[in-house]
Amino acid sequence: MSYDLMIFDKEQTPNNKETFLQLYDEKTKWAEPHDYTTISVTTPVLQKWYQYMVEHFSNMNLVDEEFLGEDGELESSLTEYSIGNAMIYTAFAWSVADEAYSTVKELAKKHGVGFLM
């Protein structure tokens, strides 16, 4: 199990809650015609958010296992990023949930993107 947050481009998503939740259901079917690991498929504002985010929570799909420390420090900060056209879905370890929430919230505000728990 993981602590999941979705970050989205406010300019590309509806601001009506019901419509947004329908879009969320659609996007989490993972049917966009691209892989979900390539940052270039998403909007510039989400690319910028991601650049700052991976400084705190490394992308688990891009970390070489030989660099994982024995103490598990890096391992606990590894995060799965599923990158869509107008959203990024993140899966954090529960052990870093509080830090992940505050970091996502701070960077979302800084970059003008929205997020959903």
Side-chain angles (χ1 to χ4, degrees):
M1 211 133 184
S2 58
Y3 179 69
D4 301 344
L5 297 172
M6 186 179 93
I7 297 74
F8 56 92
D9 186 334
K10 293 181 196 180
E11 299 294 321
Q12 302 291 319
T13 54
N15 59 6
N16 171 284
K17 183 178 180 178
E18 185 177 317
T19 307
F20 178 86
L21 291 175
Q22 290 172 351
L23 178 68
Y24 173 83
D25 287 340
E26 185 64 31
K27 293 295 184 182
T28 55
K29 290 178 183 173
W30 314 112
E32 293 178 4
H34 58 78
D35 70 48
Y36 283 86
T37 61
T38 304
I39 192 63
S40 63
V41 303
T42 199
T43 66
V45 69
L46 288 174
Q47 289 179 30
K48 191 67 139 171
W49 175 88
Y50 173 84
Q51 289 173 346
Y52 282 88
M53 194 64 195
V54 295
E55 292 177 9
H56 304 280
F57 294 93
S58 300
N59 186 330
M60 69 185 296
N61 295 315
L62 302 177
V63 173
D64 191 335
E65 289 185 26
E66 71 183 61
F67 292 107
L68 295 178
E70 289 181 23
D71 60 4
E73 184 177 331
L74 177 60
E75 188 171 341
S76 68
S77 71
L78 292 177
T79 301
E80 184 173 7
Y81 294 87
S82 298
I83 303 164
N85 291 331
M87 63 81 166
I88 299 176
Y89 194 90
T90 57
F92 299 93
W94 272 103
S95 61
V96 296
D98 291 337
E99 181 185 358
Y101 177 83
S102 62
T103 303
V104 168
K105 183 178 179 180
E106 176 187 328
L107 290 176
K109 184 177 180 179
K110 178 179 180 176
H111 295 285
V113 298
F115 77 100
L116 178 69
M117 296 183 10

